[in-house]
């Protein structure tokens, strides 16, 4: 069992822990340059929330700070995920292991490579680039190292909350990531390219261990992208990935709440009499249940302090 030892309204649960910025090392720069991304751009690696706030307010029109201290950001035309534009590359690693159909749509390796080049070229033109290195999965036996590369401070702050933050020592020794997200969502995909149905593309290649986002600035694509990766990898490791929330009672009793997005998993798990383990993504192993994420992603529509005080009070600086 890997429950948090803090109540749900603790900043460590929903807003995460603060860490000092770590200067990119030569090994980090070398690994980044191998991806085709420029290291001459001003790179902010695992920047603290205060710096990401400053950059969002300065460089991203429409950004503001709420009365409770949370960052308000605009995601452009897309205010939700684009499932019809999500693709998985058909390759030797996936051809026989993915249930292909209207949900898991195929993309050729050539089209993915073209998308990657398009995204990298866009990021290389930006004045600011943000990198966040973190973990997916609290159990060290199964966790993976994830690197997020993006051009918006809002995206970096989002993943600063959703992934598990490394300690200074873990960041210094992070090395090569197991999976990399290249988020160039401000730039459109080539709609006429093979396998594209719009100017939005969210594509994953398991052989390249990469995810590329084009044409959508909605940050939730990164969150669900990591979950897709874990859904593929965890069963291969002999454990069960779950779309569920989870909490623990005073006697160590654990409850799992299953449901589609928006059906109340976060609300049900936010019980003031129980410790929160997580609100959306978990893995069940032979020794217990662990959260994939480092924070929570709660919908704020019609949110009130009376009905959901734990969630309401978590909307503060850093979120």
């Amino acid at each position: 069992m890997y429950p948090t030892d803090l109540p749900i309204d603790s900043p460590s649960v929903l807003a995460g822990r603060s860490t000092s910025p770590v200067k990119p090392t030569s090994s980090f720069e070398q690994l980044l340059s191998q991806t085709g991304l420029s290291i001459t751009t001003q790179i902010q690696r695992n920047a603290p929330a205060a710096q990401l706030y400053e950059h969002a307010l300065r460089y991203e029109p429409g950004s503001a700070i709420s009365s409770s201290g949370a960052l308000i950001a605009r995601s452009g035309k897309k205010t939700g995920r684009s499932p019809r534009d999500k693709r998985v590359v058909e390759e030797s690693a996936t051809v026989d292991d993915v249930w292909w159909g209207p949900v898991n749509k195929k993309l050729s390796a050539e089209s993915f490579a073209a998308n990657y080049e398009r995204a990298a070229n866009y990021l290389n033109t930006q004045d600011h680039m943000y990198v966040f290195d973190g973990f997916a999965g609290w159990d060290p036996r199964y966790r993976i190292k994830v690197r997020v590369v993006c051009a918006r401070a809002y995206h970096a702050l989002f993943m600063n909350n959703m992934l598990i933050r490394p300690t200074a020592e873990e960041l210094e020794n992070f090395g090569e990531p197991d999976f990399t997200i290249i988020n160039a969502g401000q730039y459109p995909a080539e709609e006429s390219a093979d396998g594209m149905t719009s100017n939005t593309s969210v594509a994953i290649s398991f052989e390249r261990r990469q995810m590329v986002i084009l044409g959508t600035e909605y940050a939730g694509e990164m969150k669900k992208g990591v979950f897709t990766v874990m859904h593929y990898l965890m069963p291969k490791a002999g454990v069960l990935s779950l779309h569920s929330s989870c909490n623990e009672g005073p006697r160590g009793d654990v409850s799992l709440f299953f449901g589609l997005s928006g059906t109340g998993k976060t609300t049900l798990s936010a019980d003031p009499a129980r410790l929160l383990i997580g609100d959306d993504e978990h893995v069940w192993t032979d020794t217990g249940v662990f959260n994939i994420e480092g924070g929570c992603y709660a919908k704020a529509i019609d949110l009130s302090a009376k009905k959901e005080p734990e969630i309401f009070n978590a909307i503060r600086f850093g979120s």
Side-chain angles (χ1 to χ4, degrees):
M1 195 65 54
Y2 298 93
T4 176
D5 58 357
L6 295 168
I8 187 172
D9 61 348
S10 165
S12 294
V13 177
L14 288 165
R17 299 164 295 165
S18 62
T19 57
S20 300
V22 178
K23 183 179 181 180
T25 63
S26 58
S27 60
F28 162 72
E29 293 176 350
Q30 183 179 6
L31 286 171
L32 195 62
S33 66
Q34 292 171 1
T35 65
L37 296 169
S38 172
I39 59 173
T40 58
T41 300
Q42 184 178 353
I43 300 172
Q44 308 292 331
R45 186 189 187 201
N46 286 51
Q51 184 175 352
L52 295 175
Y53 267 58
E54 180 182 351
H55 280 222
L57 294 170
R58 181 175 295 179
Y59 304 121
E60 300 176 14
S63 298
I65 300 177
S66 73
S67 60
S68 63
L71 179 69
I72 299 172
R74 297 188 178 277
S75 61
K77 294 181 179 180
K78 298 294 180 73
T79 57
R81 289 187 292 116
S82 302
R84 294 182 180 180
D85 298 306
K86 193 170 183 176
R87 302 286 187 274
V88 176
V89 177
E90 183 183 25
E91 48 206 355
S92 59
T94 60
V95 63
D96 296 323
D97 290 344
V98 173
W99 189 353
W100 303 107
V103 175
N104 298 312
K105 300 178 183 179
K106 299 179 181 179
L107 185 70
S108 69
E110 293 76 17
S111 290
F112 183 88
N115 277 353
Y116 184 93
E117 183 178 7
R118 188 176 180 89
N121 287 343
Y122 170 79
L123 291 175
N124 287 339
T125 67
Q126 301 306 294
D127 294 331
H128 300 275
M129 189 185 300
Y130 304 90
V131 174
F132 182 78
D133 288 337
F135 301 109
W138 280 96
D139 190 329
R141 296 176 299 171
Y142 300 105
R143 75 180 185 182
I144 65 171
K145 297 183 293 184
V146 179
R147 171 164 293 161
V148 179
V149 184
C150 54
R152 289 197 62 180
Y154 145 58
H155 289 155
L157 180 66
F158 181 87
M159 294 307 281
N160 179 61
N161 279 328
M162 298 317 303
L163 289 174
I164 299 163
R165 299 176 191 171
T167 64
E169 182 180 358
E170 287 172 334
L171 186 58
E172 183 178 356
N173 300 310
F174 195 79
E176 185 176 358
D178 299 310
F179 224 88
T180 301
I181 299 174
I182 305 296
N183 190 340
Q186 303 98 300
Y187 197 60
E190 180 55 64
E191 190 171 352
S192 62
D194 183 43
M196 298 294 102
T197 53
S198 74
N199 60 9
T200 297
S201 175
V202 180
I204 295 175
S205 169
F206 284 98
E207 283 194 354
R208 293 177 53 141
R209 298 181 298 160
Q210 295 170 340
M211 175 181 180
V212 175
I213 299 174
L214 289 163
T216 173
E217 297 176 64
Y218 180 67
E221 294 289 5
M222 295 181 287
K223 165 188 161 65
K224 286 300 182 183
V226 172
F227 195 25
T228 298
V229 171
M230 293 295 277
H231 259 326
Y232 178 81
L233 295 177
M234 292 300 99
K236 288 180 173 291
V239 292
L240 180 64
S241 50
L242 305 167
H243 187 198
S244 70
S245 61
C246 186
N247 62 22
E248 182 187 24
R251 295 186 300 272
D253 53 304
V254 172
S255 295
L256 289 163
F257 303 92
F258 295 90
L260 297 175
S261 296
T263 56
K265 294 189 301 299
T266 299
T267 301
L268 289 171
S269 62
D271 186 334
R274 299 172 66 86
L275 294 174
L276 175 69
I277 296 177
D279 79 321
D280 195 49
E281 305 172 7
H282 294 85
V283 175
W284 195 339
T285 75
D286 56 350
T287 58
V289 178
F290 69 85
N291 190 4
I292 291 174
E293 300 179 306
C296 293
Y297 185 32
K299 293 176 175 60
I301 297 175
D302 297 326
L303 185 64
S304 70
K306 182 178 180 180
K307 292 182 178 179
E308 299 174 279
E310 290 77 26
I311 298 173
F312 186 91
N313 292 330
I315 301 177
R316 59 182 73 173
F317 177 79
S319 61

